[in-house]
Amino acid sequence: MSKEFSGIVKAWEFTVKKATAKKKAKKNIIFATMSVAHVDDDLDTPGEVYYAEKILNNGDIYTGQWSDNCPNGHGKYLWSDGCMYVGDWVKGKTMGKGKFSWPSGATYEGKFKNGYMDGEGIYTGCSNDTYRGSWVINMKHGKGTRDYVNGDHYEGDWRRGQPDGQGRYQWINGNQYIGQWRNGKMNGNGTMIWANGNRYDGSWEDGFPKGNGTFRWGDGSFYVGIWSKDSREQSGTYYPSSSQTGTFDWDPQDVYSIDLLGCQISPGERISVYPSQKMVSWPCEGEFLQKLPIAKTPRANKRNSVDGRLSNGDGYSWGSETDAGSNSVCSEKQRESSEGMRSFSTDDLDNSRGFTPHCIKIQPNKKPGTTISKGHKNYELMLNLQLGIRHSVGKPAPATSLDLRATAFDTKEKIWTKFPTEGSKHTPPHQSAEFKWKDYCPTLRKLFKVDPADYMISICGNDALRELSSPGKSGSFFYLTNDDKYMIKTLKKAEVKVLLGMLPAYYNHVRTFENTLVTKFFGLHCVKLTGPAQKKVRFVIMGNLFCTENAIHRRFDLKGSSHGRVTEKPESQIDSTTTLKDLDLNFIFRLQKVWFQEFCRQVDRDCDFLEQERIMDYSLLVGVHFREVSGSGEPVTTEMRSSGVRTPTANADQSGDGLTPRLSRADMDLLFDPSGWASIRLGINMPAKAELTMRRSDFESQLVGEPTGQYYDVILFFGIIDILQNYDISKKLEHAYKAFQYDPTSISAVDPKQYSKRFRDFILKVFAEDT
């Protein structure tokens, strides 16, 4: 056969194959070809990028670079309702630089990530309301400026879509506020300057002056006092200028009723629909769908899935391996994929490299502690504590400023309240033995804005306290309120002295840095029992770091030292109440960029404070809640969800489309439930990714394991605890003794400066930026 004839035959066979494949493709594909750059456009060669023009059945149009059955590269998408996106695409998602425009004339131009406005970008509303700055998952978050349609202007920090942090707001009438913000309101220390030259410098709360502040007039006169919208709490002194004569008729309440009327914050223009909600399902996302078996499950109704798709009206969901039925091929593929995920630790990092595999098994959650009921050895002590707190919190107290004098921290004050059994003029009768009670610095509760009624109900209500076993070596008793809000710990006399000595500095530190991670103390009390021994029991009341509706699946106490920092328990015995230590840690926690930056700053501030107070032996307590846990008790990795592998889960996404979208559940929840942002603070309810690590068999020389690339969506709770141990003579002797036997850098008892550095270095390896 001649070469020429052979070439003709091959060309004919290729044409037949193209026609056959084209006919099959048209039965399933959701596109119709409009005008094409290539005749064989519908025949996708894997990985090949080419120009295409597509019309969807719903009337949408896409033109641009195309590969693997979805937009890849630069392209333009026009929705039938008039919305349009022009920019970069990656696997069917807007990713990179682009511009999105709405039919109203509004536009966003900037960075996109997984379909979301994420990164630096400019939003210009239809009424010319403009924001320039940083975005995170469709929310204004980071540094940014906004020009409002009414002429107002704000520049500064943003968080969760609202001014939050340090910023300046200028009204069109010439008034301006420079200071701190929270949730879109003036909150903290700030200065309001009116166009007429008057100004207020001081504290703000929820958009109004509250606390210490000074109001100044242009002529030099000023008023200094404690400010409040409640005239009964308002107090201060007026100082006239040297040039002023005659009487001055002015009421501080005029600031609220008159001066601030022209200082309302503009709500601004709202975004009607987010670009991520306009994204569609491309065939490249559905390829795995066609290979998996489906099991029909009842659904109450249709609902929109997270990325804008509509779930199947028949209510199909993806089942486990046992749901496969007769489709053994698909079942086997699914099983291989699932097993591949589960066997990651042994397949990809084998023991020949010296790594120790770690299995994660979640035990059923249980409520910690034993209820202190009648007959318990500490029952009367609990009654004494509740009686004393009810007395201290319930008695009326004069209005005080948060700017306390030195006398507020006087440790020599000896005011005891006697609680006789029959009662007295100030105390009620009770069934416990007679005792005496002392309350130290009650202003701590005011600092943290604790509601007295809620505080009393939590500690002194009808529900008894729960006693916890001590997780440390201190020998202290721990009690937990029934609503889990407060932790009560017994202290040694030396610890009380440390707390009282550091109280002024602690008070100022907490007041200055609202995101501080150090333990929040709400009260320090002492009960003196009657009898020959005159025994004193000292209590400190703290906030419970793990007061949350989310189950805490793992908790870690991290110091950055290795000696004795391991829990000798097999995985099967580790539950939600087990406190694991440094050498048990098998994760790196990855936070979003803005949160990670704030975390680093706050760790530095808190460690500086503790170092100055000569405190050591503190630790970072971390609680981990896995967003998805399979029915067999294993956390579900992000890879398993993005690949479509599903197992029955305890708290799985019920979108009904069978495949969880590629963004993490944490990101999705924040996007579609913006109110969830309000519950997030540094160390509280923080969405993150936990990357599994593998530790070498010589693990004592490796505090942080090697990252594996296997991720879990988690919610984190963390804070710095045990801050009442200073570097006294006993700790110096402990350090000297242990340094003879062990590596001096591996033991806990070291100089505060060395401890602080080691702690920071370790924590900033355990926490990292999510890139």
Side-chain angles (χ1 to χ4, degrees):
M1 185 182 293
S2 68
K3 291 183 179 180
E4 182 180 0
F5 182 73
S6 175
I8 294 173
V9 170
K10 287 182 179 179
W12 177 79
E13 289 175 345
F14 181 68
T15 304
V16 171
K17 287 180 180 178
K18 280 199 300 181
T20 306
K22 203 168 186 178
K23 192 176 292 184
K24 290 180 179 178
K26 283 184 177 179
K27 291 181 181 179
N28 299 319
I29 200 161
I30 63 171
F31 306 109
T33 305
M34 182 175 67
S35 61
V36 296
H38 298 276
V39 176
D40 56 353
D41 169 65
D42 286 332
L43 278 177
D44 239 356
T45 303
E48 181 188 358
V49 179
Y50 59 91
Y51 180 83
E53 297 180 358
K54 303 284 185 177
I55 298 180
L56 280 69
N57 288 342
N58 61 6
D60 296 352
I61 300 172
Y62 172 80
T63 59
Q65 291 177 300
W66 185 271
S67 72
D68 296 332
N69 285 326
C70 58
N72 260 311
H74 191 82
K76 177 172 73 173
Y77 192 103
L78 179 64
W79 283 265
S80 57
D81 63 3
C83 291
M84 183 173 69
Y85 171 81
V86 181
D88 298 333
W89 297 78
V90 176
K91 295 183 180 179
K93 294 287 187 183
T94 55
M95 181 86 77
K97 291 184 178 180
K99 182 176 181 178
F100 190 94
S101 57
W102 286 261
S104 62
T107 61
Y108 168 82
E109 188 167 3
K111 291 292 188 70
F112 286 81
K113 184 179 179 181
N114 287 312
Y116 296 83
M117 299 183 289
D118 199 302
E120 294 295 315
I122 302 173
Y123 173 81
T124 305
C126 59
S127 55
N128 235 20
D129 187 322
T130 304
Y131 170 82
R132 297 175 178 84
S134 180
W135 299 74
V136 174
I137 319 176
N138 290 343
M139 291 284 196
K140 304 172 188 70
H141 198 85
K143 296 286 184 183
T145 63
R146 185 170 186 177
D147 294 301
Y148 295 87
V149 64
N150 63 359
D152 294 352
H153 174 84
Y154 172 83
E155 58 180 308
D157 297 330
W158 294 77
R159 185 171 294 172
R160 303 184 290 271
Q162 297 285 351
D164 198 304
Q166 191 73 20
R168 180 177 70 89
Y169 192 103
Q170 180 149 3
W171 286 264
I172 192 172
N173 59 15
N175 300 341
Q176 64 174 319
Y177 170 84
I178 305 169
Q180 294 176 319
W181 296 75
R182 183 190 290 174
N183 293 331
K185 295 181 179 180
M186 298 168 282
N187 203 100
N189 292 321
T191 299
M192 175 71 75
I193 304 173
W194 281 267
N196 61 10
N198 296 344
R199 63 184 287 162
Y200 168 83
D201 300 90
S203 298
W204 295 75
E205 187 176 299
D206 291 332
F208 296 99
K210 182 68 180 293
N212 279 326
T214 303
F215 191 93
R216 303 176 188 275
W217 286 265
D219 62 2
S221 56
F222 60 95
Y223 172 90
V224 180
I226 298 173
W227 294 75
S228 175
K229 289 183 72 176
D230 187 345
S231 58
R232 294 171 297 179
E233 297 178 358
Q234 180 83 42
S235 63
T237 305
Y238 171 74
Y239 297 90
S241 65
S242 56
S243 60
Q244 189 172 344
T245 58
T247 58
F248 182 76
D249 185 18
W250 177 78
D251 185 350
Q253 292 298 304
D254 291 347
V255 173
Y256 299 94
S257 59
I258 300 174
D259 297 84
L260 290 174
L261 284 180
C263 301
Q264 302 299 315
I265 307 301
S266 173
E269 181 181 315
R270 297 181 65 86
I271 298 175
S272 57
V273 61
Y274 293 104
S276 56
Q277 294 173 292
K278 301 292 291 180
M279 292 296 103
V280 299
S281 267
W282 299 95
C284 62
E285 292 179 329
E287 285 178 358
F288 200 89
L289 243 101
Q290 299 169 14
K291 299 177 184 178
L292 289 177
I294 55 177
K296 192 169 183 179
T297 56
R299 298 281 184 189
N301 52 13
K302 293 184 180 182
R303 61 173 291 223
N304 285 321
S305 66
V306 176
D307 60 357
R309 290 175 282 176
L310 194 65
S311 64
N312 189 331
D314 292 333
Y316 287 98
S317 67
W318 300 108
S320 62
E321 296 166 10
T322 55
D323 298 324
S326 61
N327 196 337
S328 59
V329 175
C330 291
S331 175
E332 187 61 32
K333 286 183 179 179
Q334 184 181 4
R335 179 160 48 250
E336 289 172 1
S337 176
S338 179
E339 291 299 328
M341 290 295 178
R342 282 197 285 267
S343 62
F344 177 90
S345 58
T346 53
D347 291 346
D348 289 9
L349 292 172
D350 55 42
N351 291 331
S352 63
R353 290 174 55 191
F355 286 97
T356 304
H358 192 102
C359 173
I360 304 174
K361 195 80 172 177
I362 303 300
Q363 302 292 339
N365 208 51
K366 61 182 182 181
K367 209 166 187 177
T370 305
T371 302
I372 302 177
S373 53
K374 198 164 187 178
H376 190 283
K377 62 179 181 178
N378 289 322
Y379 179 71
E380 285 200 357
L381 188 61
M382 179 190 74
L383 291 182
N384 296 345
L385 175 70
Q386 291 176 327
L387 284 166
I389 289 177
R390 193 177 288 122
H391 166 76
S392 296
V393 179
K395 67 181 181 182
T400 56
S401 164
L402 288 179
D403 289 324
L404 299 183
R405 299 175 181 175
T407 54
F409 306 103
D410 185 7
T411 59
K412 297 179 181 179
E413 190 176 347
K414 297 288 184 181
I415 300 177
W416 290 87
T417 302
K418 191 174 182 181
F419 280 77
T421 306
E422 66 278 7
S424 67
K425 184 179 179 180
H426 303 289
T427 63
H430 57 89
Q431 298 177 351
S432 180
E434 182 178 307
F435 67 95
K436 290 182 179 179
W437 170 263
K438 186 177 181 182
D439 184 20
Y440 300 88
C441 194
T443 314
L444 282 173
R445 292 185 289 276
K446 185 173 182 180
L447 172 65
F448 292 111
K449 300 175 185 175
V450 175
D451 182 85
D454 291 342
Y455 188 73
M456 276 203 293
I457 290 172
S458 293
I459 302 175
C460 314
N462 295 328
D463 297 312
L465 304 177
R466 301 199 307 276
E467 185 177 68
L468 309 177
S469 58
S470 173
K473 302 175 183 178
S474 64
S476 299
F477 288 100
F478 289 83
Y479 305 97
L480 195 61
T481 58
N482 195 62
D483 58 7
D484 292 334
K485 283 186 179 180
Y486 301 103
M487 182 86 71
I488 303 168
K489 178 186 178 183
T490 60
L491 298 181
K492 297 177 181 177
K493 185 177 181 180
E495 291 176 311
V496 173
K497 285 184 176 180
V498 171
L499 178 54
L500 291 175
M502 68 186 286
L503 208 50
Y506 170 83
Y507 188 93
N508 291 328
H509 179 79
V510 170
R511 189 182 172 198
T512 304
F513 303 110
E514 292 186 348
N515 281 336
T516 180
L517 298 175
V518 298
T519 306
K520 291 178 174 56
F521 295 122
F522 300 112
L524 178 61
H525 313 287
C526 183
V527 170
K528 184 190 287 185
L529 304 177
T530 56
Q534 290 283 302
K535 181 183 177 184
K536 291 181 182 178
V537 183
R538 302 163 183 89
F539 299 92
V540 66
I541 300 179
M542 310 171 288
N544 178 22
L545 197 60
F546 299 152
C547 179
T548 170
E549 294 179 357
N550 295 312
I552 301 298
H553 297 127
R554 285 290 183 274
R555 59 184 72 199
F556 297 93
D557 183 271
L558 307 175
K559 291 186 177 183
S561 58
S562 58
H563 176 64
R565 301 296 295 163
V566 65
T567 303
E568 300 292 347
K569 271 190 177 183
E571 180 69 28
S572 59
Q573 294 180 20
I574 295 174
D575 59 24
S576 59
T577 64
T578 305
T579 302
L580 302 171
K581 298 179 182 178
D582 300 63
L583 295 178
D584 302 307
L585 182 66
N586 55 330
F587 295 108
I588 293 174
F589 303 113
R590 301 196 178 275
L591 305 177
Q592 287 182 0
K593 181 178 179 179
V594 288
W595 283 116
F596 178 69
Q597 291 173 344
E598 177 62 24
F599 173 77
C600 294
R601 286 192 294 266
Q602 196 56 55
V603 167
D604 283 340
R605 293 164 182 161
D606 291 338
C607 286
D608 286 343
F609 159 70
L610 294 171
E611 184 182 326
Q612 289 167 9
E613 296 300 312
R614 302 288 294 164
I615 304 297
M616 43 77 67
D617 214 23
Y618 47 88
S619 56
L620 187 76
L621 184 64
V622 182
V624 183
H625 168 80
F626 292 100
R627 301 299 301 266
E628 285 195 80
V629 180
S630 69
S632 59
E634 298 172 3
V636 178
T637 65
T638 56
E639 290 87 349
M640 290 175 69
R641 288 201 311 276
S642 62
S643 67
V645 177
R646 298 288 301 219
T647 55
T649 58
N651 54 344
D653 173 32
Q654 298 297 320
S655 62
D657 61 2
L659 285 177
T660 304
R662 294 174 181 176
L663 283 183
S664 69
R665 288 197 55 183
D667 289 346
M668 294 186 295
D669 286 355
L670 292 178
L671 174 67
F672 289 94
D673 182 19
S675 62
W677 283 95
S679 64
I680 300 172
R681 289 180 56 197
L682 188 65
I684 299 175
N685 206 36
M686 294 202 68
K689 287 181 182 176
E691 183 177 6
L692 188 69
T693 60
M694 302 296 290
R695 200 182 299 278
R696 293 192 300 268
S697 53
D698 57 335
F699 59 85
E700 290 213 8
S701 64
Q702 186 190 30
L703 276 178
V704 180
E706 301 288 341
T708 64
Q710 185 169 337
Y711 296 92
Y712 302 90
D713 281 334
V714 297
I715 297 177
L716 298 181
F717 301 82
F718 51 82
I720 297 175
I721 63 169
D722 294 337
I723 63 170
L724 299 180
Q725 181 62 61
N726 64 358
Y727 196 55
D728 57 12
I729 186 64
S730 63
K731 286 295 178 181
K732 290 177 182 178
L733 290 172
E734 180 186 342
H735 173 79
Y737 174 74
K738 289 185 177 179
F740 280 112
Q741 306 175 62
Y742 311 103
D743 178 2
T745 62
S746 70
I747 58 180
S748 294
V750 294
D751 176 84
K753 189 171 184 177
Q754 183 184 345
Y755 192 94
S756 172
K757 184 181 184 307
R758 185 180 67 186
F759 179 81
R760 291 187 224 205
D761 292 345
F762 173 62
I763 293 303
L764 295 183
K765 289 178 183 176
V766 174
F767 284 78
E769 181 182 334
D770 182 11
T771 56

